[in-house]
Amino acid sequence: MVGSGGAPPGFRLPISASVGVNPKKKKNHQTNFKNNSTIEGSIGAPQSPKIPGTEIIYMKTFGCSHNQSDSEYMAGQLSAFGYVLSDNPEEADLWLINTCTVKSPSQSAMETLISKCRSAKKPLVVAGCVPQGSRDLKELEGVSIVGVQQIDRVVEVVEETLKGHEVRLLNRKTLPALDLPKVRKNKFVEILPINVGCLGACTYCKTKHARGHLGSYTVDSLVSRVRTVVNDGVKEIWLSSEDTGAYGRDIGVNLPILLKAIVAELPSDGSTMLRIGMTNPPYILEHLEDIADVLRHPCVYSFLHVPVQSGNDTVLSAMNREYTVGEFRTVVDTLTELVPGMQIATDIICGFPGESDEDFAQTVRLIEEYKFSQVHISQFYPRPGTPAARMKKVPSTLVKKRSRELTAVFESFTPYNGMEGKVERIWITEIATDGVHLVGHTKGYVQVLVIGPETMLGTSAIVKITSVGRWSVFGEIIETLNQINENLVSSERKSGNKCTPCSDAEENCACSREPEPCACKMSSCGGQNLLEESTASLSKKELWPEERNNQNLIRWLLRRRKNHSQKKMENGIVSEPKENQELARGRTREWDLVDKALVGGILVSFLAVVVLLYLGVRPPTPSN
């Protein structure tokens, strides 16, 4: 089991407790200390003295969402100790680069940045997978290093580097705490690492060298973090790891157990959404129905990233991917069948060693068959130290040709055709790169661009899709939803201690407090669109308003009429089960009569008051 370990937030471990200091010694003189940590003298002049914690730090992050989360944690700790974070490398007193080792281009970009830093004579700290997996890399000579499990000690490393020392912290047996200070790149999005490392041994992968074997955070620690970030106003939680599906296998739990526990903590008004991270096929095959059940939940995006890498079993075997194309198809077909509106993204590596023309043709046919809305296409890059780097390579010209061919096939798809005119609920979390549109996502994680004020960031909205593009769709805002009607809670089926939607919105789902399957048919559980559920709940409140005794009668009637007219908007925004529609129509007719009676009574009362007032102010009749 992985504990939280490390210093608590806001507290610095004494540097002498775990690393040695050899000031002003030659760089080639190294001393190893506890925890495989060293501090070495700088070969250059130390920085001019400043008040500790007042310097400016430039941070640059490469790679995956897990790396992004690590950077946010490091930024949070540095900010907590007074350091100023800047996007301008020129004004910075120190550069901190968080690196990625997945692809050669990312590492090349890192090396270029290191070279620029040396030319600018700036102190440098390098973090992430490159130094962790390739600690003896020539480009890292004379550079301070923070390992992937040492991010909770970044303040120490920065302080010593600013003093002119070289620091290397690489080894650790426990993961950093989840409650460290954090500065999010997007304040509405929490990237939550649920585990590090993986159980696989892919022949091309360098990340395993850096992140190591699987190490999972406990369910309790992750649920506690979810509670915290929801209270902080986060609107999207991204679960991140090297392989989400492998979660918990080292501590006796599994991914469905974690997902159900997290979903139970999400606000019932649908204001915070969960996005499940990348998962390889082998570790979710046995949990497909449970995963589908979670993906149907109204607070979970119906989206999953499942890399296939190749459409040929021989190539997959050479990659040591531990699944077949048929098993990948099982994952895609099952989730697509069980989850309405399911969207799946995948990855392809073009030109893996030994890949023949026919092998590649099978990959193309697979992508053409499923027409995935998102495909991440990469050329094979041999990573030093991996088994694939020693395999016979496909000529680079052929690798590039295959990459271009597959890209052309993918870009020929029109995945969002047919969405025009549809009404969708979206969650808005960022501003588009054009600076004009806001970016939201549907429950299927389709990107929707809308025009609206920045105050809409962090909100949800009902939009009508007006046009579609290749990579996103455009929408027109119909209504902003600050929160969904509280009656939505009663139409949820329990997951942990809460319920997700069942077919009968009038009754609570017949499930216990344990995270058991809903006691209703799969076809009726969790299948309704969240928009339908919320409007169905709203219709009940409109027809039988519990608060009407506390409202002015006329105001209530006017509001009810307004809401009734809104329900008749274009294309029938409100979509209820047929039996509910019939019931609603019957109740509406009944209340129409009541409305008339009430309005008639009000008019009669008004006339009576006028008559009485008139009689009351007549002048007295003169007496004889």
Side-chain angles (χ1 to χ4, degrees):
M1 180 181 297
V2 178
S4 56
F11 179 80
R12 272 181 270 197
L13 291 172
I15 194 86
S16 58
S18 56
V19 294
V21 179
N22 296 310
K24 306 222 185 231
K25 290 190 178 182
K26 296 282 186 181
K27 185 185 73 62
N28 60 2
H29 179 80
Q30 299 187 4
T31 307
N32 291 323
F33 296 87
K34 180 182 177 182
N35 225 14
N36 196 37
S37 308
T38 64
I39 295 186
E40 303 166 353
S42 171
I43 58 174
Q47 295 289 295
S48 56
K50 287 189 177 183
I51 299 174
T54 62
E55 290 89 345
I56 300 172
I57 310 295
Y58 165 70
M59 292 188 66
K60 175 67 175 178
T61 303
F62 296 94
C64 64
S65 60
H66 198 158
N67 260 23
Q68 182 63 50
S69 177
D70 286 351
S71 288
E72 291 176 354
Y73 274 123
M74 288 190 286
Q77 293 170 87
L78 291 167
S79 293
F81 283 105
Y83 290 98
V84 177
L85 303 177
S86 173
D87 293 328
N88 183 357
E90 303 301 325
E91 70 175 357
D93 298 299
L94 177 142
W95 291 13
L96 196 164
I97 305 173
N98 195 4
T99 61
C100 173
T101 191
V102 171
K103 300 178 184 179
S104 296
S106 296
Q107 187 161 329
S108 296
M110 173 213 74
E111 292 167 358
T112 299
L113 201 57
I114 289 176
S115 178
K116 288 181 179 179
C117 187
R118 292 186 193 275
S119 298
K121 300 188 184 302
K122 302 276 189 178
L124 175 63
V125 175
V126 176
C129 293
V130 171
Q132 189 75 59
S134 305
R135 61 188 68 188
D136 297 325
L137 200 65
K138 181 179 179 181
E139 287 76 11
L140 298 178
E141 291 181 1
V143 173
S144 290
I145 289 174
V146 180
V148 294
Q149 293 187 28
Q150 298 276 29
I151 60 172
D152 56 346
R153 300 184 63 185
V154 66
V155 174
E156 304 169 51
V157 177
V158 165
E159 286 183 342
E160 293 301 322
T161 303
L162 285 167
K163 293 175 184 176
H165 302 139
E166 177 188 340
V167 184
R168 296 196 166 210
L169 298 178
L170 288 171
N171 288 355
R172 188 174 186 161
K173 293 182 180 179
T174 58
L175 296 180
L178 292 172
D179 59 354
L180 293 169
K182 196 170 193 180
V183 175
R184 299 184 188 93
K185 184 178 181 180
N186 184 331
K187 68 178 181 179
F188 298 113
V189 177
E190 167 73 6
I191 303 172
L192 180 60
I194 62 174
N195 56 263
V196 301
C198 67
L199 296 174
C202 299
T203 55
Y204 58 84
C205 183
K206 185 76 172 177
T207 304
K208 180 69 176 279
H209 294 200
R211 296 284 183 180
H213 197 67
L214 180 68
S216 303
Y217 285 98
T218 64
V219 172
D220 288 345
S221 65
L222 291 165
V223 168
S224 177
R225 180 65 183 176
V226 168
R227 291 194 196 106
T228 298
V229 301
V230 168
N231 290 334
D232 287 346
V234 160
K235 300 304 177 184
E236 286 188 4
I237 299 172
W238 298 358
L239 302 187
S240 178
S241 78
E242 283 63 58
D243 186 356
T244 302
Y247 169 79
R249 290 172 179 257
D250 56 322
I251 57 174
V253 293
N254 57 41
L255 182 62
I257 291 173
L258 173 66
L259 294 178
K260 291 177 182 180
I262 289 177
V263 165
E265 298 298 327
L266 299 179
S268 59
D269 64 1
S271 58
T272 300
M273 295 293 287
L274 180 69
R275 194 185 83 172
I276 303 174
M278 185 273 289
T279 178
N280 289 312
Y283 303 110
I284 61 168
L285 277 166
E286 64 188 274
H287 300 302
L288 285 178
E289 290 192 6
D290 287 333
I291 299 294
D293 188 52
V294 173
L295 288 167
R296 287 194 300 264
H297 191 280
C299 295
V300 181
Y301 285 120
S302 304
F303 170 84
L304 198 61
H305 179 191
V306 187
V308 63
Q309 306 298 8
S310 174
N312 175 267
D313 285 341
T314 300
V315 175
L316 289 177
S317 179
M319 292 177 173
N320 198 28
R321 290 289 289 168
E322 300 180 335
Y323 59 86
T324 64
V325 176
E327 289 171 330
F328 172 78
R329 288 177 178 274
T330 298
V331 172
V332 176
D333 294 343
T334 302
L335 294 180
T336 302
E337 177 185 356
L338 297 182
V339 184
M342 183 70 196
Q343 296 284 324
I344 292 178
T346 195
D347 299 347
I348 296 292
I349 296 176
C350 292
F352 189 82
E355 181 185 67
S356 68
D357 288 342
E358 176 55 28
D359 297 338
F360 176 69
Q362 291 181 20
T363 299
V364 173
R365 288 196 290 269
L366 180 73
I367 299 303
E368 287 178 329
E369 177 183 348
Y370 283 100
K371 291 181 170 57
F372 298 105
S373 58
Q374 295 184 39
V375 179
H376 308 124
I377 301 169
S378 301
Q379 299 174 32
F380 171 74
Y381 294 103
R383 307 301 295 131
T386 63
R390 300 188 296 271
M391 298 179 183
K392 185 177 180 180
K393 300 175 182 59
V394 174
S396 59
T397 53
L398 186 54
V399 174
K400 292 177 182 177
K401 178 178 178 291
R402 290 175 180 173
S403 176
R404 288 194 298 268
E405 179 183 340
L406 187 59
T407 299
V409 169
F410 168 62
E411 291 183 351
S412 70
F413 302 156
T414 53
Y416 306 129
N417 278 4
M419 288 190 69
E420 298 98 325
K422 286 190 175 182
V423 175
E424 299 274 358
R425 184 181 182 185
I426 65 170
W427 288 262
I428 303 170
T429 55
E430 59 184 318
I431 300 173
T433 53
D434 63 8
V436 176
H437 291 86
L438 302 180
V439 180
H441 290 91
T442 67
K443 189 178 187 300
Y445 213 67
V446 176
Q447 181 173 275
V448 183
L449 303 179
V450 296
I451 299 291
E454 289 189 23
T455 53
M456 291 191 66
L457 291 172
T459 68
S460 182
I462 303 298
V463 301
K464 179 180 178 181
I465 306 303
T466 57
S467 63
V468 302
R470 175 59 187 85
W471 312 109
S472 57
V473 303
F474 294 84
E476 182 180 275
I477 296 172
I478 296 174
E479 180 185 4
T480 301
L481 302 178
N482 292 321
Q483 64 179 42
I484 295 184
N485 188 278
E486 61 271 15
N487 288 349
L488 181 61
V489 177
S490 65
S491 67
E492 290 184 347
R493 176 175 50 82
K494 286 192 175 182
S495 176
N497 61 352
K498 296 186 181 179
C499 281
T500 55
C502 287
S503 57
D504 190 352
E506 294 287 348
E507 300 178 3
N508 290 328
C509 183
C511 47
S512 67
R513 295 190 60 82
E514 296 300 318
E516 296 295 332
C518 180
C520 49
K521 293 181 181 179
M522 184 173 296
S523 61
S524 61
C525 264
Q528 287 186 331
N529 183 283
L530 182 55
L531 172 60
E532 297 171 359
E533 296 163 20
S534 61
T535 49
S537 296
L538 285 169
S539 68
K540 292 181 179 59
K541 189 170 184 180
E542 291 159 7
L543 294 171
W544 302 101
E546 298 175 359
E547 79 280 13
R548 62 182 180 274
N549 293 330
N550 299 324
Q551 300 285 339
N552 178 278
L553 180 59
I554 296 177
R555 287 177 59 197
W556 173 71
L557 285 170
L558 292 174
R559 184 175 69 253
R560 184 176 174 277
R561 285 296 182 195
K562 179 181 178 182
N563 290 339
H564 182 67
S565 64
Q566 286 177 342
K567 285 176 63 178
K568 295 181 178 179
M569 292 182 66
E570 51 192 297
N571 294 328
I573 295 175
V574 179
S575 175
E576 300 183 23
K578 183 176 180 181
E579 60 271 19
N580 286 358
Q581 292 177 358
E582 294 173 353
L583 179 61
R585 283 197 295 269
R587 289 176 176 172
T588 303
R589 286 195 295 270
E590 177 186 343
W591 275 96
D592 284 344
L593 296 174
V594 175
D595 290 347
K596 293 175 181 177
L598 287 171
V599 172
I602 291 172
L603 290 175
V604 171
S605 300
F606 178 75
L607 291 174
V609 170
V610 170
V611 171
L612 290 172
L613 288 173
Y614 174 74
L615 293 176
V617 299
R618 291 181 58 188
T621 304
S623 59
N624 292 329

